[in-house]
């Protein structure tokens, strides 16, 4: 039997060897990372396309998608999501490549952008868009919660991940009337209790906005309407 000191030495030697064979690479471009870089190289980090929407959460094209369907006070994404570009690679790694730590790193970035650019200075409570329990078991973590953890670290806002529960895994929209769809969207999530503080709903990527609409509908049903949507990325909106 090896002593624990020896085990430690062997492990250290082994991890050094693994790093030599498989150097850490940027999850956006695949280039080798240099000391001081974490998950994403500096070049990719500087190249992420900002939406510029953080300065005006209440009036922008993302807000226009949701306003009128549900009650909320703002909606923003930090970066644009373009096909085959860095943000898409990062979101793919976060969702499908077991890169839970990447979420925290990107969440801190969101926190810094929020503090620097967003005019909203209230103390918010963070609610990550929940995964269905079956999907959570499969993935091992909720990518939106990882982003919220990093965001919380930077801003000091508390997290309330259990306030919203996902009852249905997929949103089905085909072959249904407008009324059916409205009912369907309103039964996907459930809010467990009312809180009086304003809420930031944290998501990874906004595409159609249907998931967010369903989350906000559940919060609205409990009387929560001071809601700001904050997503790491959003598909570009063409007017
Ligand atoms: Zn890179």
């Amino acid at each position: 039997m090896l002593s624990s000191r020896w085990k430690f030495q062997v492990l250290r030697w082994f991890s050094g060897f693994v790093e030599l064979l498989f150097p850490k690479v940027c999850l956006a471009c695949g280039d080798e990372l240099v000391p001081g870089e974490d998950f994403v190289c500096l070049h990719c980090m500087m190249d992420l396309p900002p939406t510029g929407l953080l300065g005006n959460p209440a009036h922008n094209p993302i807000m226009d998608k949701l306003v009128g369907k549900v009650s909320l006070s703002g909606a923003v994404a930090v970066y644009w999501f373009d096909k085959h570009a860095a943000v898409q690679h990062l979101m793919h790694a976060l969702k499908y490549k077991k890169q839970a730590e990447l979420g925290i790193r990107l969440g801190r970035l969101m926190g810094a952008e929020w503090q620097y650019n967003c005019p909203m200075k209230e103390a918010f409570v963070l609610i990550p868009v929940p995964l269905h329990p079956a999907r959570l078991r499969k993935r091992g973590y909720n990518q939106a919660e990882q982003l919220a953890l990093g965001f919380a670290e930077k801003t000091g806002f508390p997290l309330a991940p259990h306030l919203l529960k996902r009852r249905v895994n997929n949103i089905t929209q085909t072959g249904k009337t407008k009324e059916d769809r409205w009912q369907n969207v309103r039964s996907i999530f459930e809010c467990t209790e009312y809180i009086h503080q304003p809420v930031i709903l944290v998501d990874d990527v906004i595409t159609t906005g249907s998931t967010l609409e369903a989350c906000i509908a559940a919060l609205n049903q409990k009387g929560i309407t001071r809601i700001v949507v904050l997503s790491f990325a959003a598909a570009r909106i063409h007017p």
Side-chain angles (χ1 to χ4, degrees):
M1 282 291 279
L2 287 169
S3 73
S4 57
R5 192 167 157 266
W6 267 103
K7 272 186 199 162
F8 178 74
Q9 286 297 340
V10 169
L11 261 173
R12 214 164 72 152
W13 176 82
F14 186 71
S15 63
F17 184 66
V18 167
E19 217 160 280
L20 204 67
L21 282 179
F22 307 101
K24 286 185 180 143
V25 295
C26 169
L27 292 170
C29 70
D31 280 0
E32 203 173 308
L33 293 177
V34 298
E37 290 177 341
D38 253 341
F39 303 102
V40 190
C41 75
L42 192 63
H43 178 80
C44 285
M45 201 64 112
M46 303 292 284
D47 253 12
L48 298 176
T51 61
L53 301 180
L54 272 167
N56 199 356
H59 302 282
N60 63 63
I62 296 177
M63 184 66 174
D64 292 344
K65 270 189 169 189
L66 295 159
V67 82
K69 296 177 183 167
V70 280
S71 299
L72 73 165
S73 29
V76 285
V78 184
Y79 299 105
W80 291 124
F81 180 101
D82 297 306
K83 276 200 170 151
H84 314 300
V87 172
Q88 186 188 22
H89 299 314
L90 292 177
M91 293 298 96
H92 184 83
L94 175 62
K95 262 170 118 162
Y96 305 112
K97 292 191 174 172
K98 305 269 177 221
Q99 295 287 346
E101 283 289 317
L102 170 67
I104 295 178
R105 172 77 181 83
L106 299 180
R108 285 190 207 122
L109 192 62
M110 290 165 85
E113 291 290 330
W114 177 276
Q115 285 175 324
Y116 195 70
N117 293 310
C118 187
M120 296 178 155
K121 298 298 173 205
E122 304 100 297
F124 287 89
V125 171
L126 307 176
I127 303 181
V129 170
L131 289 181
H132 188 267
R135 189 161 293 177
L136 183 62
R137 269 196 302 278
K138 204 171 160 205
R139 191 166 295 166
Y141 60 91
N142 173 359
Q143 71 278 4
E145 192 169 337
Q146 294 302 109
L147 291 170
L149 280 168
F151 188 81
E153 224 179 80
K154 202 79 193 168
T155 57
F157 295 156
L159 234 88
H162 305 297
L163 214 74
L164 207 54
K165 292 197 185 320
R166 188 168 186 139
R167 293 197 292 216
V168 182
N169 206 348
N170 292 307
I171 300 177
T172 50
Q173 290 182 355
T174 47
K176 289 186 178 250
T177 64
K178 213 173 168 184
E179 181 62 22
D180 284 342
R181 187 189 163 274
W182 195 87
Q183 285 298 341
N184 179 258
V185 161
R186 267 142 193 82
S187 59
I188 293 161
F189 295 95
E190 184 191 353
C191 176
T192 53
E193 62 174 299
Y194 169 81
I195 54 165
H196 66 274
Q197 298 100 315
V199 155
I200 294 179
L201 192 57
V202 183
D203 202 3
D204 52 349
V205 186
I206 303 174
T207 46
T208 63
S210 300
T211 308
L212 287 166
E213 184 192 337
C215 284
I216 298 166
L219 294 168
N220 285 172
Q221 273 172 352
K222 270 277 190 275
I224 302 171
T225 54
R226 288 195 295 161
I227 303 162
V228 178
V229 166
L230 173 67
S231 180
F232 182 79
R236 281 183 197 266
I237 298 163
H238 302 286

